Amino acid sequence: MIKISSLSLSGGQGKTTLTVLLARYLAQHGKTVLVIDCDAQANSTTFLGVDIEEDDPTLLEVLKGDIEAKDCLYEVSERLHLIPADDGLDAIGDYLSSSAAGALMLKRRLKNISGFDYCLIDSPPQRSQISSTVIGASDYAILPCESSVKGYGSLVRTLEAIKELQDLEVTNIATLGILPFRDRWVGARRTNESEKCINAMAQVLDQVFPSIRESEQYKKAVSNRTTLEALGHPDLEYPFEKIAEKLEGIS
Ligand code: ATP
Ligand code: MG
């Protein structure tokens, strides 16, 4: 199972959009996928359509070691499962910081999980014990990044956080690529801001995936719990097709 995190240490950069739509795309194309929601906002949990009752186990109990990860798998569809989050997840910060192995906790808890081709990890928007344990558990990161000055700044901070943990030899994570998010076009032309930002992203990392364009259709696919293809926009799945090809090449 290849573990890939959707990482960006800022809000609204497309982490959840990437996680949910890539998970559905891969499952639709015959792969078995486990999504882990590592954000207390629980947006991936909501958009994958899993309702959590008060006493239901979530990632919080898995990280604390109260239950095994394999006993916390919720079926979304035939090939797609979820380890969900709820707003209690923030409480894990103290637990993780009290352990010397905090950054390795998620990796450790996932050790006995098998039967999935890919594990996609949605992550929180700020630097925290949770983001560190996500980086510690991941084989690869995809870095969604809004095509704006704010997005570029967040990309730089995210890469710094990854490098710090790599230098500490806590993780072997490799960056798979940057995914430009909310790429704005007017007619047949990309806006100057998007153009500049995407060019700047290409200076930071060789691999820049085809962008997610500014479009209501992505929001619609996520909130209607469906795919872009089912909405009649298979062309908008191109970024996910390219990411899937890249993943195929490393598996
Ligand atoms: P957070 O850090 O809060 O978890 P995030 O990085 O997970 O945010 P998303 O929730 O995926 O980011 O997206 C941010 C916002 O952009 C959401 O309100 C979403 O509906 C919207 N959005 C998603 N795709 C597009 C798109 N293609 N064009 C414009 N807006 C979009
Ligand atoms: Mg999110």
Side-chain angles (χ1 to χ4, degrees), residues 8 10-18 39 41 43 122-125 181-182 212-216 218-219:
S8 162
S10 241
Q13 299 295 309
K15 294 178 289 295
T16 300
T17 302
L18 166 63
D39 183 3
Q41 297 178 94
N43 290 334
D122 192 9
S123 64
F181 180 61
R182 301 186 68 167
I212 291 188
R213 289 205 189 187
E214 175 88 15
S215 159
E216 290 298 310
Y218 289 93
K219 288 194 209 178

